[in-house]
């Protein structure tokens, strides 16, 4: 089988300068969209989702659950109806499940599928097939799961349905919401109690959404626990706009003189707002308006106005809370006065690309002093020039360099941008509409 779409060549060409204005609503939260399909599928009754991200990653999850026998209507303008099959209603798929570029689909589904009575095989694109999966298959095998990886600990993952899972208490060595969520989903099928302790707070959408579907979850300090044997009750899920997609415009408006922008209905879960804290420390002018809670998740409109930025030492405790936002935060650092130092972020090397090396290469091409370190980067703010950069098929790298054009002296050409559709369908139009000079 060939799997197309994002593999097709797409190049962005940007023009220099501009300022951002107007209200902007970016697409739905990717993390919440994935989880809404997974929990909706396991629930009793019909789950109605609005604001669902129609990007390739969350669509990979949606399609995989169809192949697991779940009837799903939509998406139709962000509306999806999932006809839940209950905790034990998933069916063996007729073929391998292809999950494209989506690490969240693969890591979370591995936990869930390890608890089923049938075998499955999970595959992905070149990037996903190179990403570390031992971080989930290791602890899952301690629970009794039987999963085969390549010798390198990567996908394809062959999950055997013969595993009888036992609950356990896992101390996570890395701060990873994907690992935590994977083990909690396995815990739904494990005997007794499953607990996960994290070394630093990570996004807690799984815990919140389980509670929203009526499943008891206990949280005490850094440990979250659940017991098997419960049931999920279908509910409504209103997916807020993704703060990780909003981040491009938060930085864009901060660096482009004359900008004044409102990002509407953005999820501001405190486990995701590191980007706001880091930008504020750099001197950004950001205000949260109309703060409210929607379906168990905090939401706000965010106003951001141009403000000169200064370099900072990024506090390490903010790293997991802004883990997906560093590509565009490096652009903010390149536009700031003085030096910005990031440490404690070695996880960036195993994302959709090696985000430390790929961003450093692009920044250097554009004339910025950027020195990669094993666990971060040291960037000295300066003048962004012009040139051709390569995103290495990483959606967030492509969008970060598009934002850099607002302060560039000349045209920036960005190669390998097709994967922008994994998380931000319509990025080009939204960017043009709000003030960027960009075309493909
Ligand atoms: C995600 C968790 C993060 C993040 C990813 C989405 C999730 O990964 O980078 O984009 O939805 O749980 P890690 O848990 O590996 O840090």
């Amino acid at each position: 089988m060939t799997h197309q779409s994002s593999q097709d060549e797409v190049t962005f060409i940007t023009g220099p300068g501009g300022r951002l204005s107007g209200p902007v609503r970016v697409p739905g939260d990717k993390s919440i969209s994935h989880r809404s399909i997974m929990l909706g599928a396991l629930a009793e009754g019909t789950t109605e989702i609005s604001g669902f991200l129609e990007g390739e990653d969350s669509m990979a999850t949606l399609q995989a659950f169809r192949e697991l026998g779940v009837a799903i209507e939509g998406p139709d303008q962000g509306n999806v109806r999932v006809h839940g099959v209950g905790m034990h209603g998933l069916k063996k798929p007729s073929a391998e499940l292809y999950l494209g570029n989506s690490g969240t689909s693969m890591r979370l589904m591995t936990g869930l599928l390890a608890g089923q009575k049938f075998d499955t095989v999970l595959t992905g694109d070149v990037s996903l097939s190179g990403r570390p999966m031992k971080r989930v298959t290791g602890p899952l095998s301690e629970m009794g799961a039987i999963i085969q990886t390549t010798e390198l600990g990567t996908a394809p993952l062959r999950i055997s349905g013969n595993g009888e899972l036992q609950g356990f208490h896992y101390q996570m060595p890395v701060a990873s919401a994907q690992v935590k969520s994977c083990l909690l989903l396995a815990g739904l099928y494990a005997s007794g109690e499953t607990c996960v302790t994290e070394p630093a707070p990570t996004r807690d959408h799984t815990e919140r959404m389980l509670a929203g579907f009526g499943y008891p979850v206990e949280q005490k300090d850094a440990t979250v626990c659940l017991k098997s044997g419960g049931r999920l009750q279908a509910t409504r899920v209103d997916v807020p706009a993704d703060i990780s997609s909003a981040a491009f415009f938060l930085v864009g408006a901060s660096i482009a003189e004359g900008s004044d922008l409102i990002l509407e209905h953005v999820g501001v879960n405190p486990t995701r707002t590191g980007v706001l804290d880091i930008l504020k420390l750099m001197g950004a002018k950001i205000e949260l308006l109309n703060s409210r809670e929607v379906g168990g998740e905090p939401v706000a409109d965010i106003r951001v106005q141009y403000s000169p930025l200064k370099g900072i030492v990024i506090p390490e405790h903010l790293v997991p809370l802004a883990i997906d936002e560093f590509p565009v935060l490096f652009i903010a650092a390149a536009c700031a006065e003085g030096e910005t130092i990031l440490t404690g972020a070695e996880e960036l090397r195993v994302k959709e690309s090696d985000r430390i090396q790929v961003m450093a290469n692009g920044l250097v091409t554009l004339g910025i002093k950027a020195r990669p370190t094993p666990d971060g980067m040291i960037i000295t703010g300066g003048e962004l020039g012009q040139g051709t950069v390569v995103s290495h098929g990483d959606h967030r790298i492509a969008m970060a360099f598009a934002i850099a054009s607002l302060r560039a002296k000349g045209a920036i050409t960005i190669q390998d941008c097709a994967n922008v559709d994994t998380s931000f369908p319509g990025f080009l139009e939204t960017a043009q509409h709000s003030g960027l000079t960009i075309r493909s």
Side-chain angles (χ1 to χ4, degrees):
M1 212 192 308
T2 56
H3 297 285
Q4 273 227 318
S5 57
S6 294
Q7 306 314 317
D8 302 337
E9 191 48 52
V10 173
T11 299
F12 287 169
I13 299 161
T14 70
R19 61 188 171 87
L20 300 185
S21 63
V24 172
R25 178 150 178 173
V26 300
D29 188 279
K30 186 151 75 70
S31 296
I32 298 175
S33 294
H34 284 297
R35 289 156 171 83
S36 67
I37 297 289
M38 295 180 192
L39 298 192
L42 299 180
E44 289 164 29
T46 303
T47 289
E48 311 253 0
I49 307 166
S50 58
F52 181 78
L53 170 66
E54 296 184 31
E56 288 173 8
D57 277 11
S58 37
M59 286 305 292
T61 292
L62 186 152
Q63 188 53 33
F65 275 86
R66 281 193 175 133
E67 289 168 38
L68 289 160
V70 182
I72 303 176
E73 294 172 67
D76 176 14
Q77 298 189 4
N79 296 314
V80 179
R81 285 162 69 90
V82 184
H83 298 275
V85 295
M87 293 300 294
H88 300 283
L90 296 178
K91 300 263 179 336
K92 181 177 169 56
S94 59
E96 297 175 351
L97 298 175
Y98 176 73
L99 301 171
N101 194 245
S102 179
T104 308
S105 309
M106 187 168 280
R107 296 213 178 98
L108 270 59
M109 289 185 68
T110 300
L112 199 159
L113 292 169
Q116 307 303 312
K117 296 277 173 238
F118 51 83
D119 299 350
T120 35
V121 180
L122 303 183
T123 65
D125 70 4
V126 175
S127 156
L128 183 54
S129 303
R131 295 183 64 187
M133 292 298 148
K134 275 260 145 59
R135 56 179 60 195
V136 289
T137 59
L140 284 171
S141 67
E142 284 181 48
M143 296 176 82
I146 305 167
I147 305 169
Q148 221 187 305
T149 67
T150 67
E151 268 179 23
L152 297 171
T154 52
L157 303 182
R158 293 171 198 286
I159 304 167
S160 160
N162 297 322
E164 290 283 324
L165 303 188
Q166 296 101 44
F168 78 147
H169 189 151
Y170 188 60
Q171 303 271 352
M172 285 200 298
V174 281
S176 165
Q178 291 182 350
V179 175
K180 173 177 64 174
S181 302
C182 163
L183 299 177
L184 291 176
L185 292 172
L188 296 175
Y189 296 94
S191 60
E193 192 175 41
T194 299
C195 297
V196 184
T197 300
E198 47 188 9
T202 66
R203 65 191 69 192
D204 62 358
H205 304 300
T206 304
E207 298 91 303
R208 284 176 188 254
M209 202 183 285
L210 279 167
F213 277 80
Y215 204 100
V217 179
E218 262 179 57
Q219 178 86 48
K220 192 162 181 286
D221 303 323
T223 302
V224 54
C225 298
L226 57 71
K227 292 193 180 95
S228 59
R231 290 149 75 146
L232 295 165
Q233 194 53 53
T235 185
R236 295 187 67 87
V237 181
D238 177 337
V239 183
D242 197 329
I243 191 167
S244 298
S245 297
F248 298 102
F249 295 91
L250 290 169
V251 170
S254 297
I255 62 174
E257 206 165 344
S259 297
D260 190 351
L261 189 72
I262 291 192
L263 290 147
E264 295 175 333
H265 203 73
V266 182
V268 287
N269 179 317
T271 59
R272 296 286 298 281
T273 47
V275 62
L276 302 180
D277 298 329
I278 292 169
L279 283 173
K280 282 184 192 164
L281 288 172
M282 296 177 82
K285 208 168 164 195
I286 293 175
E287 256 179 293
L288 261 56
L289 310 170
N290 199 11
S291 294
R292 53 211 184 261
E293 187 159 309
V294 180
E297 289 280 350
V299 170
D301 302 322
I302 306 179
R303 182 173 182 201
V304 51
Q305 290 165 275
Y306 166 74
S307 175
L309 301 182
K310 58 179 191 307
I312 59 164
V313 176
I314 297 174
E316 281 198 9
H317 77 272
L318 292 176
V319 169
L321 309 180
I323 194 67
D324 290 336
E325 286 67 76
F326 284 103
V328 79
L329 283 169
F330 293 151
I331 301 299
C335 297
E337 194 192 325
E339 203 171 62
T340 295
I341 301 174
L342 172 68
T343 54
E346 56 276 2
E347 275 295 298
L348 294 181
R349 292 201 177 269
V350 289
K351 292 294 177 187
E352 287 83 329
S353 71
D354 175 344
R355 287 183 172 161
I356 292 174
Q357 193 59 51
V358 174
M359 282 303 299
N361 292 349
L363 286 170
V364 168
T365 300
L366 298 176
I368 296 293
K369 208 169 137 202
R371 189 157 66 79
T373 63
D375 67 340
M377 185 131 59
I378 302 167
I379 297 173
T380 310
E383 281 212 342
L384 280 161
Q386 58 187 33
T388 298
V389 297
V390 189
S391 82
H392 288 270
D394 187 328
H395 54 140
R396 301 202 197 279
I397 305 260
M399 291 185 276
F401 282 115
I403 291 301
S405 69
L406 288 162
R407 282 277 287 268
K409 288 279 162 277
I412 301 177
T413 299
I414 311 159
Q415 292 177 337
D416 205 0
C417 296
N419 276 338
V420 164
D421 285 346
T422 60
S423 68
F424 201 145
F427 172 74
L428 220 55
E429 294 73 21
T430 304
Q432 286 162 346
H433 195 74
S434 61
L436 241 77
T437 305
I438 184 166
R439 64 184 167 85
S440 63

